[in-house]
Amino acid sequence: KDKSAASKDGTPEGASKRQEDGTETPKQQLLDIIGDMKVEVSYRKKLEQLKGRERKKQALKKLEGLDDESYVPQGTTEDTQRHKPLNPELVKAASAVASSLPRNKKETESELLAQLRRHEETTDKQKKGGTINIRNVISEMTVKRQTPAQRGARISSHISLQLDEDGQRTRPERSSAQSVASTRSLKVGKRLNIFTKASGEPEHALKTVSSPTIWDLEFAKEVAAVTAQPPRNGFEEMIQWTKEGILWEFPIDNEVGMEDDGEFHEHIFLDKHLEGFPKEGPIRHFMELVICGLSKNPYLTVKQKVEHIEWFQKYFEEKKELLQEI
Amino acid sequence: PCPRQVRSYYVDWRMLRDVKRRKMAYEYADERLRINAIRKNSILPRELQEVADKEIAALPRDSCPARIRNRCVITSRPRGVKRRWRLSRIVFRHFADHAQMSGVQRAMW
């Protein structure tokens, strides 16, 4: 990665030497050319560089043999019309790489050349001591290849909702770009179509997941934890305690938490449940005692009392033959 | 992050068995109550009470509440356990001396 800044004049000579050398494969030529390129300072440029190198390396891996170096692409004329004429060696190398790729040759060609152009632009500016205008660079970037990655990153960032430590990596980049953009007017410049398409998809992806997601809940909890200030005085402390449930609510309600499962008459007058029993005899006597006891019991619910009586009913029905003998 | 010792197991097997007995006693509490109500009765005929006797004996042994022993919660000590705190006397003294028992003070009069 970190290579010394070599002069541009050195590269064509070196490249020409290597091209004359028949034993050296064009693959190695390309690698040399890439290796001699100047060092970019900012992180963003490094990213772009890495991307370009990765693409080129991928192309090189698929390389079997170069077809024609003499293939003059249509892009060169455009390049020459732009800022500076590109190094012809680099152009040839780019065309060779592009021609070897299975995909759309012209597209890759143009992209590679655009990358080269950008490198040269930035190195010129660094030479002159000019500031790097990110806006221009972004505007020149092609949209097709990058939006899937951006979309993926955005979806993942939406779902993960990174804050603080993680956010410091992703957020300031965007904020710096936005701050730069705010100095210029919004209507000027060609449309990038980043936000119109891409913003639609993450929302769809979110809606497929059940709302609220776990991450939303976690986010809400974090926000609540951060915004919760310690109580400034005794009143706020008491409010907090009341919310937690430590302190009762005043005026005191004696029946807080007590559910009214049945009226008093349901608790006391349990005679109607005694219909299944014989009207006379010891069993009836016994059951009336049971009912008397249950009616005085404040701890059981009506349902539990009814269950008790029903159990006795079942029990005595099972024992009916036994009772007949007696 | 927890300042105290984290106990994910019961202290010993006896404590575990005690826990099982408590659970069983809770499950069979109602039935035992009802059958005992039939048994401890002067109204119902004696045969019925004898049948009820046999029934209650047929229930699983661990469902009887008499088998529950109030062990110390921390050390599983079966003896010297104060009911209010569910702690054995040694543990109680330990916590009280370290001022970890609310409202407990050394007696002096």
Side-chain angles (χ1 to χ4, degrees):
Chain A
K1 257 197 211 174
D2 295 326
K3 281 149 193 159
S4 58
S7 63
K8 249 195 236 132
D9 299 325
T11 50
E13 291 168 3
S16 60
K17 272 189 201 167
R18 287 156 203 159
Q19 268 188 342
E20 286 164 8
D21 193 359
T23 53
E24 274 233 357
T25 57
K27 181 179 174 181
Q28 287 177 353
Q29 291 170 33
L30 278 168
L31 284 171
D32 293 332
I33 290 164
I34 292 160
D36 287 338
M37 276 203 230
K38 282 202 179 181
V39 179
E40 311 291 351
V41 176
S42 73
Y43 179 63
R44 193 178 277 272
K45 300 302 159 295
K46 273 184 189 167
L47 262 179
E48 290 168 20
Q49 220 181 24
L50 280 169
K51 279 182 200 167
R53 275 181 201 162
E54 278 168 14
R55 280 183 216 155
K56 281 182 185 169
K57 277 175 191 168
Q58 282 174 9
L60 291 168
K61 281 172 194 168
K62 295 172 190 172
L63 230 165
E64 292 170 11
L66 281 179
D67 295 335
D68 41 348
E69 290 181 47
S70 57
Y71 170 67
V72 179
Q74 295 171 5
T76 43
T77 50
E78 290 173 15
D79 301 334
T80 49
Q81 279 166 16
R82 289 242 188 181
H83 312 269
K84 238 180 137 181
L86 280 175
N87 197 348
E89 309 294 343
L90 294 173
V91 167
K92 279 185 191 171
S95 68
V97 168
S99 60
S100 64
L101 283 177
R103 285 186 239 163
N104 192 0
K105 294 179 186 179
K106 288 180 189 174
E107 210 181 275
T108 52
E109 177 78 56
S110 60
E111 278 187 26
L112 290 169
L113 290 168
Q115 281 231 316
L116 289 170
R117 219 185 311 123
R118 252 176 279 132
H119 289 310
E120 300 215 7
E121 209 185 85
T122 51
T123 48
D124 286 345
K125 280 187 183 172
Q126 280 178 10
K127 270 188 186 173
K128 295 170 192 173
T131 55
I132 298 165
N133 202 344
I134 299 170
R135 184 72 176 166
N136 282 335
V137 175
I138 294 169
S139 65
E140 283 171 3
M141 269 164 39
T142 55
V143 180
K144 282 182 190 174
R145 288 264 178 95
Q146 292 207 358
T147 41
Q150 275 181 357
R151 274 181 206 169
R154 228 173 258 128
I155 290 166
S156 63
S157 69
H158 269 292
I159 291 168
S160 64
L161 283 171
Q162 292 165 346
L163 281 180
D164 296 336
E165 310 96 70
D166 293 334
Q168 276 170 12
R169 257 194 284 122
T170 53
R171 294 282 171 89
E173 281 187 3
R174 290 183 202 168
S175 63
S176 63
Q178 282 165 12
S179 63
V180 169
S182 61
T183 55
R184 302 164 143 263
S185 65
L186 289 170
K187 313 284 180 177
V188 169
K190 93 181 159 179
R191 289 193 71 120
L192 292 172
N193 287 330
I194 293 174
F195 295 107
T196 48
K197 265 191 211 173
S199 63
E201 273 204 27
E203 285 171 9
H204 286 301
L206 273 178
K207 272 163 191 173
T208 53
V209 183
S210 67
S211 64
T213 61
I214 300 168
W215 305 108
D216 287 338
L217 293 169
E218 284 296 316
F219 180 61
K221 279 185 203 171
E222 278 189 63
V223 166
V226 166
T227 54
Q229 298 294 327
R232 294 173 296 176
N233 50 33
F235 289 119
E236 291 198 358
E237 199 182 23
M238 285 204 277
I239 291 168
Q240 204 173 353
W241 284 345
T242 314
K243 279 184 198 165
E244 286 172 30
I246 297 167
L247 205 59
W248 284 346
E249 286 177 21
F250 295 98
I252 292 176
D253 185 14
N254 273 326
E255 284 160 23
V256 166
M258 264 178 64
E259 293 136 21
D260 215 9
D261 55 331
E263 298 293 324
F264 72 96
H265 56 87
E266 287 172 39
H267 276 91
I268 293 168
F269 303 117
L270 299 160
D271 252 347
K272 54 187 175 214
H273 302 290
L274 274 189
E275 282 162 20
F277 291 93
K279 290 233 171 178
E280 291 192 352
I283 296 176
R284 184 77 184 196
H285 190 30
F286 174 73
M287 286 315 292
E288 277 174 10
L289 285 173
V290 164
I291 276 169
C292 181
L294 284 174
S295 66
K296 290 186 190 175
N297 191 338
Y299 302 108
L300 298 177
T301 61
V302 174
K303 200 182 160 196
Q304 282 169 326
K305 293 180 186 177
V306 167
E307 271 174 17
H308 272 293
I309 295 166
E310 281 174 5
W311 184 89
F312 274 117
Q313 200 170 11
K314 254 195 285 176
Y315 184 80
F316 286 127
E317 282 195 16
E318 283 169 20
K319 309 291 169 186
K320 247 191 182 172
E321 303 105 27
L322 196 74
L323 295 170
Q324 300 301 335
E325 294 166 25
I326 307 162
Chain B
C2 180
R4 291 169 209 89
Q5 275 183 310
V6 176
R7 305 195 181 279
S8 41
Y9 305 107
Y10 289 113
V11 177
D12 54 6
W13 289 91
R14 280 171 284 175
M15 196 190 230
L16 210 168
R17 276 184 269 146
D18 195 54
V19 167
K20 283 190 208 167
R21 279 179 206 128
R22 281 167 196 266
K23 283 184 189 162
M24 284 215 81
Y26 181 80
E27 284 170 40
Y28 286 89
D30 285 338
E31 282 185 40
R32 286 193 100 97
L33 174 72
R34 289 156 192 164
I35 296 170
N36 268 328
I38 293 170
R39 282 170 70 218
K40 313 287 179 180
N41 224 326
S42 52
I43 306 159
L44 294 172
R46 222 168 272 178
E47 290 84 2
L48 204 61
Q49 286 172 6
E50 279 161 26
V51 167
D53 280 341
K54 286 176 202 163
E55 272 191 24
I56 204 168
L59 287 177
R61 216 170 254 194
D62 271 354
S63 64
C64 166
R67 288 186 130 231
I68 296 169
R69 182 80 196 185
N70 292 326
R71 288 177 165 272
C72 169
V73 177
I74 308 284
T75 53
S76 174
R77 196 161 194 273
R79 297 196 174 103
V81 181
K82 279 316 239 175
R83 209 168 209 200
R84 184 172 167 183
W85 297 278
R86 302 178 186 174
L87 293 176
S88 93
R89 54 179 178 82
I90 305 157
V91 179
F92 175 82
R93 255 174 63 94
H94 179 269
F95 284 143
D97 286 342
H98 286 69
Q100 284 164 6
M101 298 291 273
S102 171
V104 173
Q105 200 189 18
R106 278 192 159 258
M108 199 171 7
W109 72 99

